[in-house]
Amino acid sequence: MNISAQIPQRNQWLAAGAPSRQLTPQNLAQSDYVSLSLESPGAEDALLAAGMALAQGKPTVLSAPERSHLPWFLREADLSYPSQVTITQGSTPVEIKANPEPIESAQKFDTFIGCLMSGLTKEQYAEGHTHLAQIDQSLGGKNYCEGLAVKSNDSFGTPKESLVVDLEAIKGSDRCVFYQYDNSSRPSGMWVELGAALAWGKECTLLTPDLNGVPPAVRDGMPGLKVIQYGSHDSLFG
């Protein structure tokens, strides 16, 4: 079955058929498809919606002037999930296939640790890497954190594989902790991960300096998400 998907305005999201504009997993679960216009920066709510849609198996359209305008994490999402995701340019409605395959996980983890450290200097990234190691150690158990495996901000893999691996790890985790290094607003894949985790009903905690750099939907209060405003790195890590 094909669906003609409408494209929303810049940096907005559209859940066709949902009962309201409220950005929650429960609301998006009632939609026929989800379409997003992503042109960084300022697309954080749309990135949350993208994660929810991917987790719920909703046909998903990502629109941007060019593929390079999409956040890195989603630039090859149509290759990661070809039966679910369509990437297009402009605002013309597109025909999409409504036959997504569910995301499965072969591994089980106690905690998925996500991080927002894009756009940092090498020195800041190295410090953030140390912070992630401390979070991982304090949680104990068997955890998954891509940020620990990536030693520097120029050694990531491909968007295609990163999206699949991270979403499968979230699906296989009992709980999720997301760490924001600073309060700058950035179009990060972490918001996609958070949206997916919330859609799957995971116990989620966000560690953020304050609310200045979080998506508006999180700032307004997101059901199922515990937000800890840690202030400074010294306050959080001692």
Side-chain angles (χ1 to χ4, degrees), residues 24-26 176 178 194 197-199 201-206 221-227:
T24 65
Q26 295 77 17
C176 300
F178 298 92
L194 175 57
L198 291 168
K202 304 296 180 180
E203 176 188 331
C204 294
T205 301
L206 172 64
M222 176 67 68
L225 175 63
K226 179 181 181 181
V227 178

Side-chain angles (χ1 to χ4, degrees), residues 179-221:
Y179 169 61
Q180 197 170 0
Y181 176 86
D182 60 20
N183 65 356
S184 297
S185 177
R186 299 187 183 93
S188 170
M190 188 186 80
W191 303 125
V192 179
E193 296 168 346
L194 175 57
L198 291 168
W200 279 320
K202 304 296 180 180
E203 176 188 331
C204 294
T205 301
L206 172 64
L207 305 174
T208 180
D210 52 48
L211 298 180
N212 290 331
V214 305
V218 170
R219 194 179 306 128
D220 295 340

Side-chain angles (χ1 to χ4, degrees), residues 108-130:
K108 297 297 181 183
F109 301 98
D110 294 308
T111 307
F112 174 91
I113 304 172
C115 56
L116 197 168
M117 302 200 305
S118 58
L120 302 183
T121 65
K122 288 193 174 182
E123 293 75 17
Q124 290 173 324
Y125 192 93
E127 182 183 29
H129 190 274
T130 301

Side-chain angles (χ1 to χ4, degrees), residues 35-56:
S35 62
L36 310 103
S37 175
L38 300 171
E39 189 176 345
S40 58
E44 287 84 357
D45 268 4
L47 295 177
L48 281 173
M52 293 177 187
L54 289 172
Q56 293 175 341

